[in-house]
Amino acid sequence: MADEANELAESQLPPSPPCDAAEVRGHLRRILDSPHFIHAHQLQHFLDHLVTSALEGRSDDLKEYSLGRDVFRRGESYDPRNDAIVRVQASILRKRLAAYYENGGSGEAMRIELHKGSYVPHFVFGGTGPAHSKLEASPSPAQSQAAPASRRELLKIAAGFAAGAAVATGAWVVTAKSSAPALAFEDGGALSFPAREVSPRIWGPLLSGEHPIQLAFGCPQFFRGGGLYVRDVNVNNTQEEAADRKLRELTRQLGLYLAPAPNTYTGVGEILGIYRMTQFVTHQGMESNLENVQLLTPELIRNKNLILVSSYRFRTLLELLSLPQAFSAEYMGGGAIVPLEPRPNEQKRYGPIGSGGVSRSYGLVSYWTRPETGGRILLMSGIESWATQGTVMYITGETYLRDLERLLSPAFNEESRGVQILVEIEGRDDRAINVSYVTHRVL
């Protein structure tokens, strides 16, 4: 009803004044080529469609249903009540336009404005007019890091970065890194493709609505005592004999009793990865809950679809489940992913190469269709935190998923217990910038 009221109010506004179509198209081209839109291919297509339709006298066709069907490829069965893709993309588009006009386009003689509640663009000359006040405010750099109420948990996690404390004794060290996401992969418009259709073997069942979705992020094992937080990157399980020896020795040296500390810290790659995954699930029209995996138990995920973003070095509840594996993880010597039965054309060990500048690492997408908890489990895990982020980029990218469906057919079917996909991640300054398929195993 709110949308209908907005559209009625929009119909009562004065129409855009007559304009020169060539001038508008030239203005549109400068917008689409700007840094605000150059990587946002879906938003480019959306804005071009709106402007072209208005210039050609087809504004009556700019309704939510027709846009979802024609621009976002939802098909004749598209139901705006169940799929908010058009409204979500229109909101993003308004913010991108506002950002353009506040920065590189501040000197433009005209503006293209999209009023809330309507999909008919208005062409305003001189940067003024009654419609100007209806533009959504462009977020400031600080605000752009914030999230709506449904993402408050993410903000709580991120706040933990600044609150960490560290002590370095031998191998025990805490480090905090800051890394900006790669624009080509973090663009919001790239997440709105119909994932159920593109990936019927993986995302089809996960997004079917048969089971609720539980999102989770991994945390490394920290120990605390006397106001100090310590970690050894090779200690992920307090039950290991080697871990027990290290804890005893460190306790003796510091004169402190060290106890496991849950919910303390997570990697930059995990934050970027779970943020992208949250956006992806939301863009697909699904609701989800978010939790630290250390606070979950097999019972708490029973009959839920668990989607977990966690580096290999982080201990998770999946160790408590009997899940088939075709790869193992090594933690020493920089870490590696190892095929249990390597094929003739495969390496026996996939480990990272390079560091700091341009580097290469590996991640694994693991998807189990019939875990003992019911529902399904999808795990994105890398050797390093930034490789974990790259693995999320792979499983939420339309081009990657289309290619993966071709590779999985027909071996991965309803009889399979799952599949594991090994990917190679290229990074620069500990930031994932590209991902490519290596091999996979049907379980």
Side-chain angles (χ1 to χ4, degrees):
M1 292 298 293
D3 284 341
E4 291 178 4
N6 284 330
E7 288 194 17
L8 178 59
E10 166 70 16
S11 67
Q12 296 171 349
L13 288 172
S16 295
C19 58
D20 183 271
E23 183 180 356
V24 173
R25 293 186 188 278
H27 178 71
L28 172 65
R29 178 46 52 193
R30 290 191 294 276
I31 294 175
L32 300 183
D33 290 340
S34 72
H36 304 280
F37 284 84
I38 191 65
H39 296 296
H41 303 300
Q42 187 159 263
L43 284 180
Q44 285 182 325
H45 179 50
F46 188 19
L47 180 58
D48 181 75
H49 180 87
L50 297 180
V51 172
T52 300
S53 297
L55 291 177
E56 295 179 354
R58 294 184 284 109
S59 295
D60 289 344
D61 294 336
L62 299 180
K63 304 297 184 183
E64 187 173 4
Y65 171 76
S66 58
L67 292 171
R69 179 194 61 198
D70 301 332
V71 177
F72 299 101
R73 301 180 308 212
R74 288 308 201 246
E76 297 294 335
S77 61
Y78 171 60
D79 187 346
R81 295 172 299 179
N82 301 324
D83 188 341
I85 180 64
V86 179
R87 298 190 295 277
V88 169
Q89 289 302 295
S91 177
I92 295 173
L93 178 56
R94 294 185 186 101
K95 293 177 182 179
R96 292 292 180 94
L97 284 171
Y100 172 76
Y101 290 120
E102 286 188 3
N103 296 283
S106 59
E108 292 277 7
M110 67 167 293
R111 302 169 68 96
I112 298 175
E113 298 182 347
L114 191 65
H115 304 166
K116 294 179 69 173
S118 172
Y119 307 109
V120 178
H122 277 235
F123 310 125
V124 180
F125 294 85
T128 60
H132 181 62
S133 62
K134 290 183 174 293
L135 279 175
E136 293 183 357
S138 175
S140 67
Q143 291 171 328
S144 65
Q145 299 300 319
S150 61
R151 295 178 186 155
R152 286 174 183 161
E153 291 300 318
L154 285 171
L155 296 178
K156 292 179 183 178
I157 303 162
F161 290 159
V167 58
T169 304
W172 298 76
V173 63
V174 177
T175 60
K177 300 179 180 179
S178 177
S179 175
L183 288 177
F185 293 96
E186 291 303 312
D187 177 82
L191 300 173
S192 300
F193 62 92
R196 299 174 185 84
E197 301 172 19
V198 171
S199 176
R201 289 177 172 82
I202 295 179
W203 283 114
L206 286 170
L207 300 173
S208 68
E210 180 181 359
H211 299 287
I213 294 176
Q214 176 68 64
L215 297 177
F217 58 92
C219 286
Q221 181 62 66
F222 273 74
F223 300 89
R224 64 185 175 190
L228 298 178
Y229 286 79
V230 297
R231 178 194 176 207
D232 186 321
V233 296
N234 294 309
V235 175
N236 297 285
N237 186 342
T238 57
Q239 304 304 315
E240 297 173 354
E241 183 177 349
D244 183 66
R245 288 198 304 268
K246 287 188 176 184
L247 282 173
R248 289 176 182 274
E249 177 62 21
L250 194 61
T251 296
R252 184 187 65 78
Q253 292 177 0
L254 297 176
L256 298 170
Y257 176 75
L258 297 174
N263 205 25
T264 305
Y265 165 92
T266 192
V268 171
E270 273 69 25
I271 282 291
L272 295 175
I274 199 64
Y275 179 70
R276 179 178 175 87
M277 185 59 70
T278 302
Q279 286 185 312
F280 175 80
V281 171
T282 301
H283 276 286
Q284 299 302 318
M286 302 296 293
E287 295 183 354
S288 61
N289 293 318
L290 176 64
E291 186 56 271
N292 178 349
V293 72
Q294 291 185 353
L295 303 181
L296 293 176
T297 66
E299 188 60 36
L300 288 176
I301 64 169
R302 188 164 302 281
N303 296 320
K304 296 180 180 179
N305 287 335
L306 174 66
I307 301 176
L308 172 60
V309 177
S310 178
S311 294
Y312 266 117
R313 296 178 185 272
F314 301 173
R315 188 185 182 198
T316 74
L317 64 85
L318 299 188
E319 298 175 22
L320 305 176
L321 305 179
S322 300
L323 299 171
Q325 304 278 350
F327 297 85
S328 65
E330 293 182 359
Y331 304 111
M332 304 301 291
I337 297 176
V338 180
L340 298 181
E341 297 182 3
R343 295 168 181 166
N345 62 334
E346 295 177 350
Q347 301 177 32
K348 294 183 178 179
R349 184 177 181 275
Y350 291 87
I353 298 176
S355 62
V358 177
S359 52
R360 183 181 71 198
S361 190
Y362 294 91
L364 199 65
V365 176
S366 300
Y367 175 53
W368 292 282
T369 61
R370 295 196 298 276
E372 61 195 69
T373 55
R376 295 167 186 258
I377 295 175
L378 178 66
L379 167 66
M380 283 67 61
S381 193
I383 297 174
E384 301 93 350
S385 183
W386 64 268
T388 299
Q389 176 206 359
T391 308
V392 175
M393 288 156 50
Y394 177 84
I395 203 63
T396 56
E398 180 176 5
T399 301
Y400 299 132
L401 287 172
R402 289 188 185 278
D403 183 60
L404 180 60
E405 281 293 318
R406 176 184 60 82
L407 293 167
L408 295 182
S409 178
F412 180 48
N413 52 49
E414 294 181 357
E415 302 301 320
S416 306
R417 298 183 63 188
V419 63
Q420 291 184 297
I421 305 108
L422 179 67
V423 296
E424 180 181 286
I425 302 99
E426 179 185 358
R428 182 177 293 113
D429 298 326
D430 292 338
R431 180 181 69 181
I433 59 175
N434 194 26
V435 192
S436 58
Y437 165 89
V438 177
T439 188
H440 74 274
R441 298 286 192 277
V442 175
L443 305 172

